Amino acid sequence: MNGSVIDSYQLSSLIELTSNLADDSMHADWSSQRILLNAVNKLLWTLNFDYCLMIDNEEHIDCLYGEGDGHLIETIESLQIKELKNNTIVLINQVQYYLIYQVLPLEKNKSNTLVFLQQGQAFNSSSLIIIELFSAAVKRLLITKAEEHKRIKLKNEAQVLLRSNQLKSEFLANMSHELKTPMNGILNLVQLLQNTQLEPHQLEMLNTIYESTENLLGVVTDVLEYSKLETNNIKLISSPFVLSKLIESITIEIKPEVNRKGLTFTEQLDVQLPTQLIGDALRIKQLLHNLLNNGVKFTKNGSVSIALSGKALEKNDYELTIAVEDTGIGMTKDAQTWLFEPFVQGDGSTTREYGGTGLGLAISAKLAKAMNGKIQVHSELDKGTKFTVSLPLKKVAQKQLPQSPEKTSHNTLSASELQPHTILIVEDNLINQKVAGLLLEKLGYKYDIAENGQVALGKLEQKHYSFIFMDIQMPVMNGHDATKEIIARYKNQRPNIVAMTANTFDEDKEKCFASGMDDFIAKPISELEMVRVLSKFPVK
Amino acid sequence: MLVLILNYHFKKECFDMGIYNTLEYADSNNEVKAIYDDIFEHLGNEGLVDYFKVLGNYNPHILQTTWALFKNVLLTGELPRALKELVFIAISNERECAYCTSIHCAICRYLNIDDETINQVLQKSSELNPKRVKVSIDFAVKMATNSAMVTKHDHKSLLDSGLTKNQVFELMSLASVVNYSNTLAQGMMLVVDEEFANLLKDNVVM
């Protein structure tokens, strides 16, 4: 009857016990201590022991089973456990106990020891086997738990990092927006001031103020653009565009600076290139503008060039390759590796000499990525830099020039005249009220001011207006709500409503049109834009 | 010995038709199916015995209650499942519930408990090891068959053998559940499920 070393009752209990241990180790929120306590309690049924202790490598003793009084802990602490044999007799409180133990090596320099004590009789061979099997399961559990602990810690850290990165971007976006508004005010007021009678040195000072503010605005716009790309808020619009026109519009912007520095500028378009391609022309322009700007900025003498080539792929796919090359200061191999990171310039010291936020290339890289394209750099120190951008675009199926609405609107603008509108400015910011008002006065208009949507509704009841300039972000009632209310109240008799806001993202425009506004002008308000909208809509 | 006991039951009951019929899984409604599923999940496919299927046929509420008892007392707690199954057959045997004895003998086999140990329990052998298993089984049988005679001394010997008070309560509750189960099984006039009868017949080695 007692032929087998382990009887089957012991075996079945052990199987159940180890499978429980394995199951419990999956509970993320259960500590290994709790699982072990539960397991040792059950192990008690297969073996007859009086104490079970666990000692970690820092000699900390946990009593897993039995009353862990002071004497017991003291005695065990003074034992050189690793030198004892199994079934060694130890005396605790004048009582003889048989002791066996198992060392569980975990990772390097870490181990736990399981110690079992039994009164009266020695542990037999079947008990030893069970303790060995049990210890193996406990070791497995401790390793699993340690790994899980690490995994959870890593996961938490990753989440914190991700969140703080988002917060950083949000902060930058909000901050930039807040900065943009007052700067627009300064720009507009300086512009108006420049047209008044001034002494020459006053005019010079004003010019400096204007330039500095514009530079600052450029930096803020960069930051805003970058944080938008960082938070993946970019929306691409695919439409046909004429390649040569696009390049022309970029070179026009860059030419004055090129001439000022006495550089030569060349543009080269492969004859094989199709006249039209489909893609987001605005983003491509932004990307190339950044690269060219960079080239001009870091080149003291020599040349800056842009070369376009490409190849037709399957179906209508077309790969456009643009190379922007300069003979400027260049950069080391090292610098090239982190060049596309934000707030970095080739040499940490370059910022002071050449200015800029170090965001241009980061924005370019993000833009290229957003368009599924690639951007590469080849550069040698003091020789020059070459950026190569390849963008996957599409060819236009039929040969048909796209309509260029800008051109027609420009024509009508010059042809048309200002309409005799009665105007209401709805705007909460005092500087902006002043700017818009002064511009209107300059154009010969009279106007009223309402500081929010609610006030505007009141004014509309008292007087008929044919034109409203509507700010979007206002206290009490914002521009969207006010517009909806005006449309609901006055239907066809309503005045024309043109949004004016510093939020110039595409989605903001869409939002304005969605709430029923007729047009959109961006802050800083330019005289040209104001003339455009005031001539576009006839008086109702 | 085991062979004798079981053969006796087979001869007496194996070919009797039960009075109450079973409700098979495929024919059950959602409410019953949910309970059947839970049984499958905890006991495996063999666990859905006629005992549950008859209850499912006539009284899903009692099925729910009974299954909850099994789940909470037999399947969860600090005592090892193997010990609880041994307690189950010890009490069922003492109270002569052939159905419960057979089913839980078969479950003991699933749990790798060999015939020697099972026989020792059925024969009330004093050689059962370890000691506290013997003490626990004896206490549970006494609780189930003659609870008025349980003394302080019985409790003390349980605690002395290393049981925690938590475990003692688990054991007392188990004894009551086995009693409940025996009463219900006997009342339903159940015949041992065919699969289980075959399993026991094939594995009897003596």
Side-chain angles (χ1 to χ4, degrees):
Chain A
M1 262 193 182
N2 289 323
S4 54
V5 180
I6 306 176
D7 72 38
S8 53
Y9 162 72
Q10 289 180 321
L11 186 65
S12 69
S13 291
L14 188 68
I15 290 170
E16 192 197 338
L17 186 56
T18 48
S19 72
N20 275 354
L21 265 173
D23 286 351
D24 291 349
S25 70
M26 299 300 160
H27 286 275
D29 49 341
W30 284 19
S31 68
S32 45
Q33 188 70 14
R34 176 176 166 194
I35 299 168
L36 268 178
L37 274 173
N38 209 2
V40 166
N41 231 331
K42 284 194 172 184
L43 180 71
L44 189 69
W45 288 91
T46 18
L47 303 170
N48 270 311
F49 53 82
D50 298 292
Y51 291 106
C52 173
L53 308 157
M54 191 160 78
I55 309 170
D56 65 20
N57 60 327
E58 277 140 21
E59 306 287 307
H60 174 75
I61 299 179
D62 272 322
C63 202
L64 298 178
Y65 180 77
E67 306 285 316
D69 61 21
H71 279 291
L72 176 72
I73 304 281
E74 260 173 48
T75 315
I76 296 294
E77 259 176 344
S78 62
L79 289 175
Q80 288 297 311
I81 293 229
K82 277 162 205 178
E83 287 160 21
L84 294 178
K85 281 185 185 157
N86 277 337
N87 275 326
T88 308
I89 297 170
V90 292
L91 266 181
I92 300 166
N93 268 355
Q94 268 80 46
V95 183
Q96 278 193 0
Y97 285 93
Y98 289 87
L99 179 149
I100 59 170
Y101 65 92
Q102 283 280 314
V103 181
L104 316 171
L106 302 171
E107 290 162 39
K108 52 178 175 180
N109 302 332
K110 267 192 98 177
S111 67
N112 279 335
T113 309
L114 274 178
V115 179
F116 293 89
L117 290 163
Q118 180 171 291
Q119 200 187 330
Q121 69 185 96
F123 288 94
N124 57 23
S125 55
S126 69
S127 305
L128 278 171
I129 293 173
I130 287 172
I131 284 180
E132 248 170 67
L133 292 172
F134 174 75
S135 302
V138 171
K139 183 185 159 187
R140 183 76 248 144
L141 166 88
L142 291 175
I143 289 174
T144 316
K145 278 284 155 189
E147 276 169 5
E148 195 175 80
H149 184 247
K150 262 187 240 162
R151 191 179 55 77
I152 291 173
K153 214 172 127 187
L154 275 176
K155 206 172 132 196
N156 286 346
E157 277 171 8
Q159 267 173 348
V160 168
L161 264 179
L162 195 74
R163 182 73 196 121
S164 68
N165 220 14
Q166 270 176 353
L167 282 176
K168 183 197 77 186
S169 297
E170 277 168 28
F171 169 75
L172 276 177
N174 289 336
M175 200 59 210
S176 310
H177 179 80
E178 293 303 317
L179 286 173
K180 249 179 128 172
T181 311
M183 258 187 291
N184 287 331
I186 298 173
L187 278 177
N188 281 303
L189 286 174
V190 170
Q191 251 179 332
L192 288 167
L193 206 55
Q194 278 170 330
N195 292 335
T196 57
Q197 289 231 316
L198 292 168
E199 310 253 328
H201 74 277
Q202 286 178 322
L203 197 62
E204 204 175 302
M205 283 194 278
L206 268 186
N207 286 343
T208 316
I209 294 176
Y210 190 79
E211 271 169 36
S212 311
T213 315
E214 230 179 19
N215 282 342
L216 193 55
L217 195 61
V219 172
V220 171
T221 313
D222 266 3
V223 173
L224 198 56
E225 184 68 25
Y226 181 78
S227 46
K228 197 180 142 198
L229 285 164
E230 176 89 309
T231 46
N232 291 325
N233 278 331
I234 185 162
K235 213 161 145 197
L236 293 172
I237 303 158
S238 271
S239 60
F241 62 92
V242 180
L243 205 50
S244 56
K245 288 255 163 62
L246 175 75
I247 300 301
E248 199 188 311
S249 70
I250 301 168
T251 48
I252 283 175
E253 285 176 22
I254 214 89
K255 271 278 172 56
E257 184 66 9
V258 170
N259 292 337
R260 198 184 62 76
K261 292 183 86 168
L263 305 172
T264 40
F265 182 81
T266 49
E267 53 176 278
Q268 199 184 347
L269 270 75
D270 195 332
V271 282
Q272 305 283 332
L273 281 171
T275 6
Q276 287 185 67
L277 285 169
I278 298 174
D280 193 329
L282 198 74
R283 296 297 178 189
I284 298 173
K285 184 177 165 182
Q286 196 183 358
L287 199 169
L288 294 181
H289 190 266
N290 277 334
L291 291 182
L292 279 172
N293 230 349
N294 231 48
V296 173
K297 184 156 78 177
F298 292 109
T299 306
K300 277 182 181 152
N301 44 48
S303 63
V304 177
S305 69
I306 179 166
L308 281 85
S309 61
K311 61 176 178 215
L313 305 172
E314 279 173 23
K315 292 178 191 163
N316 278 331
D317 288 347
Y318 192 87
E319 192 182 75
L320 181 68
T321 311
I322 307 154
V324 175
E325 203 168 354
D326 66 57
T327 58
I329 57 168
M331 64 196 106
T332 58
K333 275 254 171 321
D334 221 23
Q336 290 171 37
T337 53
W338 34 259
L339 188 65
F340 296 111
E341 297 294 315
F343 307 108
V344 165
Q345 286 186 338
D347 168 2
S349 66
T350 50
T351 316
R352 254 155 277 146
E353 194 180 341
Y354 297 97
T357 47
L359 276 174
L361 288 178
I363 292 175
S364 297
K366 288 256 178 199
L367 280 172
K369 201 178 152 208
M371 289 187 274
N372 290 322
K374 271 187 300 204
I375 185 162
Q376 283 172 315
V377 60
H378 298 280
S379 179
E380 238 178 285
L381 203 60
D382 297 329
K383 292 241 170 93
T385 309
K386 182 182 180 181
F387 286 101
T388 315
V389 185
S390 47
L391 299 170
L393 300 171
K394 285 201 184 302
K395 280 194 293 189
V396 180
Q398 67 265 51
K399 302 257 174 195
Q400 185 197 358
L401 276 172
Q403 295 166 329
S404 59
E406 271 180 49
K407 201 150 196 180
T408 47
S409 72
H410 269 287
N411 287 343
T412 48
L413 174 66
S414 54
S416 70
E417 281 182 9
L418 290 172
Q419 303 287 327
H421 284 295
T422 39
I423 299 172
L424 179 66
I425 299 171
V426 189
E427 164 71 65
D428 60 320
N429 185 303
L430 283 177
I431 300 172
N432 289 334
Q433 284 177 6
K434 192 142 246 165
V435 169
L438 285 170
L439 278 170
L440 285 173
E441 272 174 22
K442 202 178 158 199
L443 294 171
Y445 283 103
K446 286 208 169 112
Y447 60 89
D448 289 316
I449 289 175
E451 60 265 28
N452 61 50
Q454 194 66 53
V455 177
L457 289 174
K459 295 232 176 204
L460 277 169
E461 276 171 20
Q462 293 159 11
K463 186 176 164 183
H464 175 78
Y465 293 96
S466 63
F467 207 102
I468 296 179
F469 285 103
M470 181 76 79
D471 183 32
I472 302 300
Q473 287 175 349
M474 289 179 292
V476 188
M477 183 188 263
N478 69 32
H480 293 301
D481 292 343
T483 303
K484 281 180 202 157
E485 186 59 35
I486 292 169
I487 293 172
R489 283 193 195 177
Y490 300 99
K491 309 236 161 54
N492 286 336
Q493 301 296 310
R494 73 177 175 88
N496 295 300
I497 304 172
V498 170
M500 53 177 190
T501 170
N503 293 332
T504 50
F505 294 144
D506 301 335
E507 54 261 49
D508 299 315
K509 276 189 201 173
E510 270 167 37
K511 242 180 163 175
C512 288
F513 289 123
S515 55
M517 297 184 191
D518 299 300
D519 210 323
F520 180 99
I521 59 175
K523 289 181 193 165
I525 306 159
S526 74
E527 197 178 317
L528 204 68
E529 277 289 281
M530 215 158 214
V531 171
R532 180 180 69 80
V533 292
L534 284 169
S535 9
K536 186 175 171 186
F537 302 101
V539 179
K540 278 181 202 166
Chain B
M1 190 64 181
L2 184 66
V3 174
L4 290 179
I5 296 165
L6 293 175
N7 275 350
Y8 163 74
H9 291 315
F10 290 147
K11 271 186 199 134
K12 190 180 156 218
E13 291 181 336
C14 233
F15 303 104
D16 285 354
M17 284 295 287
I19 290 176
Y20 301 108
N21 303 321
T22 59
L23 173 68
E24 293 305 319
Y25 182 83
D27 307 322
S28 60
N29 62 21
N30 286 345
E31 183 196 359
V32 175
K33 207 169 258 168
I35 306 171
Y36 281 3
D37 281 337
D38 199 34
I39 296 174
F40 277 142
E41 199 177 301
H42 285 85
L43 294 178
N45 281 347
E46 296 80 9
L48 187 59
V49 289
D50 286 354
Y51 179 85
F52 294 123
K53 289 196 277 194
V54 170
L55 285 175
N57 200 15
Y58 300 103
N59 197 327
H61 175 68
I62 294 298
L63 170 65
Q64 172 72 55
T65 311
T66 309
W67 166 237
L69 267 179
F70 277 98
K71 201 162 84 173
N72 289 322
V73 178
L74 186 61
L75 302 185
T76 38
E78 284 187 4
L79 302 176
R81 174 85 188 284
L83 171 82
K84 293 197 203 174
E85 290 295 347
L86 290 177
V87 167
F88 213 116
I89 57 172
I91 297 174
S92 302
N93 187 47
E94 189 72 30
R95 299 196 61 215
E96 292 180 359
C97 177
Y99 182 85
C100 292
T101 312
S102 310
I103 295 285
H104 287 272
C105 276
I107 291 176
C108 283
R109 283 231 168 82
Y110 279 124
L111 291 172
N112 278 325
I113 303 176
D114 63 18
D115 295 339
E116 286 170 24
T117 312
I118 299 172
N119 274 329
Q120 281 176 337
V121 172
L122 293 176
Q123 291 163 20
K124 300 161 204 167
S125 158
S126 56
E127 284 175 36
L128 252 171
N129 261 322
K131 200 85 209 138
R132 79 179 92 242
V133 172
K134 175 71 184 152
V135 175
S136 304
I137 291 175
D138 288 349
F139 176 84
V141 171
K142 195 170 180 186
M143 277 290 300
T145 52
N146 201 354
S147 53
M149 297 301 286
V150 173
T151 61
K152 245 187 194 171
H153 176 75
D154 293 328
H155 280 276
K156 210 171 169 301
S157 64
L158 266 185
L159 295 169
D160 285 347
S161 72
L163 262 78
T164 62
K165 286 182 178 163
N166 182 322
Q167 289 164 342
V168 173
F169 275 87
E170 200 178 323
L171 198 59
M172 293 195 290
S173 168
L174 179 66
S176 322
V177 170
V178 179
N179 255 348
Y180 168 87
S181 175
N182 289 165
T183 311
L184 198 55
Q186 283 163 332
M188 288 193 285
M189 319 273 304
L190 286 175
V191 176
V192 179
D193 301 56
E194 206 179 322
E195 288 166 51
F196 279 85
N198 287 337
L199 178 95
L200 287 171
K201 233 191 281 180
D202 294 346
N203 283 289
V204 170
V205 211
M206 252 184 151

